[in-house]
């Protein structure tokens, strides 16, 4: 399955507003579903052969259309045992504003890639109209990707973090 085929699948899922979609092609199974809050969760079971995992890992990272594609590829590349599923939950911005990873310049970030987070834990701050809004995790798990750089503007619904749920 190449990158164009993945993009076509994602476009189809979005166009038809599907809540869940699953496909298996050449030994690679991809499952896309939305959780109760409407956030996309991508599930990638381990590939049945090492060659399939390599081709999937090479095809997915460049796809800007995939909700958690880069993270999913990294997680797939780490290769858990066969038949183990990896679920990535995407935390999106609830408001328009400026993204900050820490409470003040020079202090430690709230979370880093690899950090274990709990539901309700602060992930970042988004400044909107001179108000600092803490963005809390909706999931228990491990942060596998941070999509936005510190100090960058974010839009409503923009991806902020990918969390491997537990």
């Amino acid at each position: 399955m190449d990158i164009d085929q993945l993009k076509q699948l994602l476009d189809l899922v979005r166009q038809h507003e599907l809540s869940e979609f699953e496909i298996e092609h050449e030994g690679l199974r991809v499952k896309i579903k939305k959780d109760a809050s409407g956030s996309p969760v991508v599930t990638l079971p381990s590939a049945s052969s090492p060659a399939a995992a390599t081709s999937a890992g090479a095809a997915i990272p460049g796809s800007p259309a995939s909700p958690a594609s880069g993270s999913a590829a990294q997680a797939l590349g780490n290769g858990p045992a066969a038949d183990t599923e990896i679920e990535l939950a995407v935390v999106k911005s609830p408001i328009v504003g400026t993204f900050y990873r820490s409470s003040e310049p020079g202090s430690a970030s709230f979370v880093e890639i690899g950090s274990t987070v709990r539901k309700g834990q602060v992930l970042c701050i988004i400044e909107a109209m001179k108000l600092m809004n803490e963005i809390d995790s909706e999931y228990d798990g491990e942060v596998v990707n941070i999509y936005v750089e510190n100090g960058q503007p974010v839009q409503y619904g923009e991806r902020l973090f990918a969390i491997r749920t537990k």
Side-chain angles (χ1 to χ4, degrees):
M1 181 174 287
D2 66 10
I3 193 79
D4 291 329
Q5 290 172 323
L6 286 172
K7 285 181 182 179
Q8 288 175 348
L9 286 175
L10 290 168
D11 288 341
L12 255 168
V13 169
R14 281 190 202 104
Q15 180 182 12
H16 294 285
E17 298 178 6
L18 299 175
S19 60
E20 188 170 336
F21 180 79
E22 184 173 353
I23 186 169
E24 185 168 346
H25 182 69
E26 296 177 3
L28 175 67
R29 189 174 69 159
V30 177
K31 183 176 183 180
I32 303 168
K33 65 180 178 179
K34 290 186 179 179
D35 65 6
S37 66
S39 300
V41 176
V42 178
T43 304
L44 293 172
S46 295
S48 58
S49 71
T54 304
S55 66
I60 296 175
S63 172
S66 177
S69 61
S71 304
Q74 288 172 355
L76 184 63
N78 292 341
D83 299 327
T84 302
E85 292 189 351
I86 301 166
E87 290 195 9
L88 297 179
V90 177
V91 177
K92 294 183 177 184
S93 176
I95 56 175
V96 175
T98 304
F99 174 87
Y100 294 106
R101 292 184 57 187
S102 61
S103 58
E104 60 184 47
S107 66
S109 298
F110 290 111
V111 295
E112 300 286 346
I113 293 176
S115 297
T116 300
V117 296
R118 296 188 121 346
K119 188 172 185 172
Q121 180 179 340
V122 176
L123 298 173
C124 66
I125 291 176
I126 297 181
E127 177 187 4
M129 298 177 60
K130 303 294 182 193
L131 293 175
M132 300 297 183
N133 301 281
E134 291 182 342
I135 307 304
D136 299 332
S137 176
E138 299 171 9
Y139 310 97
D140 289 336
E142 178 186 353
V143 176
V144 294
N145 199 0
I146 302 173
Y147 294 104
V148 184
E149 293 295 321
N150 193 44
Q152 295 299 308
V154 293
Q155 298 296 319
Y156 172 80
E158 185 173 341
R159 298 176 303 181
L160 302 175
F161 299 92
I163 298 174
R164 181 181 301 129
T165 58
K166 291 186 178 183

